[in-house]
Amino acid sequence: MLVVSRSRNVYTGHCRSASRASKACASMASAVTSSAEWKLWYWPGIKGRGEYVRLVFEEAAVPYVDVGVEEGSNRVVEFCFKGGNNHFPVRAPPVLQKGDFVLCGSNVILNYLNTKFGWGPADAESRAHIEQILAVVADAVGEGRLAFHPKDFYASHATQVCTAAAAAAAAAAAAAAA
């Protein structure tokens, strides 16, 4: 069972079972150095692609700061898009940071953490299968988003509901006039 707790703006997951997973959690937590704090830069209140990164930290029982949740979306925008990141360039959240090291792209982050925490197979073929699964998940998330954003991929769902309702009303008025 995974129990998530929050203390002083740091989220920590704890595995509590007698299974092999709990042994893996213990080894992963010890594999991470405490010299720098892990930070996840992602939108508050949105599961999305950042949720996969959160789940990895929680399963590994590794503390991290969820910056968007703690400091708000303006800090995420500032860091990712307005020069707040003085390290390696990033394109968009989720962004992982530990000290001067930054990395973006959920699949890239997940592969990195997989290696960092000692998860996964050693052989290239099995690692490629993991990358394939991650790519399928990324495609599914991207395609699923289109169901809620049919008019404009980047506009909010609420905006698109209004746009769709206005278009439907105009179509009904045109049909009634004909």
Side-chain angles (χ1 to χ4, degrees):
M1 172 167 62
L2 180 65
V3 178
V4 179
S5 62
R6 184 172 78 104
S7 172
R8 293 188 181 188
N9 303 330
V10 175
Y11 296 83
T12 311
H14 303 281
C15 293
R16 295 187 182 172
S17 75
S19 71
R20 183 175 57 159
S22 64
K23 292 176 188 171
C25 287
S27 69
M28 279 177 239
S30 66
V32 179
T33 63
S34 60
S35 62
E37 190 173 61
W38 291 99
K39 292 183 180 180
L40 172 62
W41 297 85
Y42 196 68
W43 311 116
I46 298 176
K47 300 285 186 201
R49 298 169 197 268
E51 189 66 10
Y52 301 112
V53 180
R54 291 179 183 121
L55 291 173
V56 168
F57 278 117
E58 291 163 6
E59 181 64 23
V62 173
Y64 67 103
V65 175
D66 197 337
V67 178
V69 170
E70 296 305 321
E71 300 180 28
S73 59
N74 287 341
R75 285 285 291 132
V76 175
V77 169
E78 179 186 314
F79 183 82
C80 294
F81 305 114
K82 294 187 175 180
N85 170 23
N86 297 319
H87 310 293
F88 196 82
V90 296
R91 182 185 179 278
V95 174
L96 178 66
Q97 179 183 13
K98 186 171 184 180
D100 291 341
F101 176 74
V102 293
L103 191 64
C104 74
S106 45
N107 286 3
V108 176
I109 292 170
L110 295 173
N111 273 323
Y112 169 76
L113 292 175
N114 185 43
T115 301
K116 186 76 173 169
F117 295 161
W119 287 351
D123 65 289
E125 291 78 12
S126 296
R127 285 193 315 271
H129 286 150
I130 290 171
E131 290 178 26
Q132 177 183 341
I133 292 168
L134 288 172
V136 168
V137 169
D139 288 347
V141 169
E143 293 293 323
R145 180 177 170 83
L146 293 177
F148 299 99
H149 301 273
K151 296 285 184 184
D152 180 352
F153 188 74
Y154 295 103
S156 72
H157 177 67
T159 300
Q160 295 191 51
V161 168
C162 293
T163 303

